[in-house]
Amino acid sequence: MSRLTITMVSVSDSAGGAEAHTVALGQGMRDRGHDVVLYGRCPGWDEHSLTRREIGLGPKWSRRTMATGLLRVPIERHRTRTIADSSIYHLQFKREQIALTAPLSRRAPVVWTEHGRWMGGPAGRLLLAGYARAAEHVSRVVCVSAAVASDLEPVVGRDKLVVVPNSIDTRRYAAPSAPARAALRRQLLPSHLQDRRVAVLAARLHAAKRHDRAIAAATASGSALLVVGDGPDRERLERLSAGNTDVHFTGHREDVPDLLAASDFYLYCGAETDGTPTCVLEATAAGLPVVAFRGDPGTELVARCGGLVVEDPSELTAERASAMLELRGGGVAYVEQQHGRESWLDGYERIFGECLR
């Protein structure tokens, strides 16, 4: 493929799956010889020495910021004039998609990535009309799962939708040997947890994901719990587990692969709008069995990887948790074959090329 200029417009100050996706796509396309630039902010972008420009957009839209965000749309559309010409513009958050697609599409094809199911409630209904109008100007909408595409088909139209499942860099995650795992436990776990069965969750701590279920499940199974990550729900979860020395909060960490390798199994809690959870892929690639809760998005991945899906935290008894340890490594091959980074980049490169024909 000839060299492209790929411009991403994205503003976010909290690390999560969408932000990791942005960094991976930018880094992967740069490594394949394309010019990549981000207008805005994204955790992890600068750390990989990727090119970035400021654009002066307000905060990412949320239920709290949406009212003022809608008032900012005219000025933010005006600021797209400062964005340089490009081969492709890539957008992934609702504010950028709804507010900026039309002006950018007059200059080059616009591609969206959709990471999750469509949100419900008044906020979802409020956004839907604007999203439908903006979709008239988009060239392709990349969905991380067939379920996400199904949500959007009545609004966008099937001809613009394409499914490219989420991926991870499987080279960063590996099931460790017993001596390596023991060394990581001594190095990374609090001393009183090193000889315990340790569950782990590594995610953005948001109330919509109901991570209190992970605390309850770990407690029911007699396991310790390592909570890796940060977010607006951390304070509530810390209050919930106050006095329980079996629950250890690490905050945001850059050594997640090592923390996964030091643990025994993963506890996944998903929000109703989640798409394909990369945390499940990462845990599985690290050799961990995964426990998920029925009804959460992405639990089909758990079944494919040989994990366990429960209705209620109390179902994870000590006996079931102990038996699960025999499943270590059972999903590694599946993740490598179906969710590897190179085939994922191939998919995006193909889509970008089709938009330019």
Side-chain angles (χ1 to χ4, degrees):
M1 169 176 275
S2 59
R3 185 170 185 157
L4 303 177
T5 299
I6 302 165
T7 298
M8 302 183 179
V9 185
S10 182
V11 175
S12 178
D13 294 308
S14 59
E19 290 77 13
H21 181 285
T22 298
V23 174
L25 184 59
Q27 185 179 17
M29 289 299 163
R30 181 191 62 182
D31 292 347
R32 291 189 171 202
H34 303 296
D35 296 320
V36 180
V37 60
L38 170 71
Y39 281 80
R41 299 184 304 277
C42 179
W45 189 270
D46 294 341
E47 290 81 347
H48 287 84
S49 301
L50 292 158
T51 303
R52 185 171 70 88
R53 304 279 185 265
E54 289 293 344
I55 188 175
L57 301 182
K60 180 178 172 181
W61 281 0
S62 66
R63 287 178 172 84
R64 180 177 56 84
T65 65
M66 193 177 300
T68 56
L70 290 170
L71 294 175
R72 291 176 57 90
V73 166
I75 192 171
E76 293 187 344
R77 283 179 175 160
H78 181 76
R79 285 179 176 161
T80 61
R81 298 179 184 181
T82 67
I83 298 175
D85 289 342
S86 184
S87 308
I88 292 285
Y89 294 109
H90 177 265
L91 313 176
Q92 64 171 343
F93 292 131
K94 295 297 179 291
R95 182 266 305 280
E96 289 85 348
Q97 292 169 345
I98 292 172
L100 308 183
T101 295
L104 290 174
S105 69
R106 299 184 193 112
R107 300 162 61 184
V110 176
V111 174
W112 296 349
T113 292
E114 286 299 340
H115 296 278
R117 307 295 301 272
W118 191 262
M119 67 186 75
R125 292 192 294 272
L126 177 65
L127 288 176
L128 193 59
Y131 188 89
R133 286 194 298 271
E136 296 174 5
H137 305 281
V138 74
S139 293
R140 291 289 189 280
V141 181
V142 183
C143 303
V144 302
S145 72
V148 171
S150 178
D151 283 353
L152 298 178
E153 187 169 349
V155 179
V156 176
R158 190 68 190 90
D159 59 318
K160 291 185 177 181
L161 298 172
V162 59
V163 176
V164 179
N166 275 340
S167 76
I168 61 169
D169 183 355
T170 54
R171 296 169 299 181
R172 294 189 63 214
Y173 303 89
S177 65
R181 183 166 168 274
L184 286 170
R185 289 173 75 90
R186 290 192 298 270
Q187 176 187 346
L188 298 173
L189 300 184
S191 58
H192 68 287
L193 301 185
Q194 292 177 8
D195 295 325
R196 298 284 306 282
R197 181 173 58 236
V198 176
V200 61
L201 71 85
R204 183 168 181 263
L205 303 181
H206 193 283
K209 295 179 181 290
R210 298 179 290 160
H211 285 120
D212 46 286
R213 294 176 295 168
I215 296 173
T219 301
S221 68
S223 306
L225 176 63
L226 202 61
V227 182
V228 183
D230 214 335
D233 202 35
R234 178 174 175 176
E235 184 178 345
R236 181 186 73 89
L237 293 171
E238 287 182 325
R239 287 198 307 269
L240 183 67
S241 57
N244 186 348
T245 59
D246 282 351
V247 181
H248 179 69
F249 290 81
T250 73
H252 177 74
R253 295 284 289 261
E254 296 294 337
D255 57 348
V256 172
D258 288 340
L259 289 164
L260 292 174
S263 302
D264 293 298
F265 67 96
Y266 191 90
L267 280 164
Y268 162 62
C269 300
E272 64 178 9
T273 56
D274 285 352
T276 302
T278 54
C279 60
V280 171
L281 301 177
E282 291 167 352
T284 302
L288 297 186
V290 178
V291 177
F293 296 92
R294 195 172 309 282
D296 284 7
T299 51
E300 71 278 0
L301 279 175
V302 176
R304 292 170 190 160
C305 296
L308 175 66
V309 179
V310 298
E311 293 278 357
D312 186 83
S314 63
E315 294 180 22
L316 188 64
T317 62
E319 292 75 17
R320 295 185 84 176
S322 180
M324 268 215 323
L325 303 189
E326 301 299 319
L327 303 176
R328 285 186 69 91
V332 171
Y334 171 81
V335 173
E336 289 178 345
Q337 293 166 9
Q338 301 297 324
H339 296 277
R341 184 56 46 84
E342 292 306 311
S343 60
W344 177 75
L345 289 170
D346 288 344
Y348 269 93
E349 231 178 15
R350 182 179 64 255
I351 291 162
F352 292 160
E354 290 172 353
C355 291
L356 294 171
R357 291 175 190 162

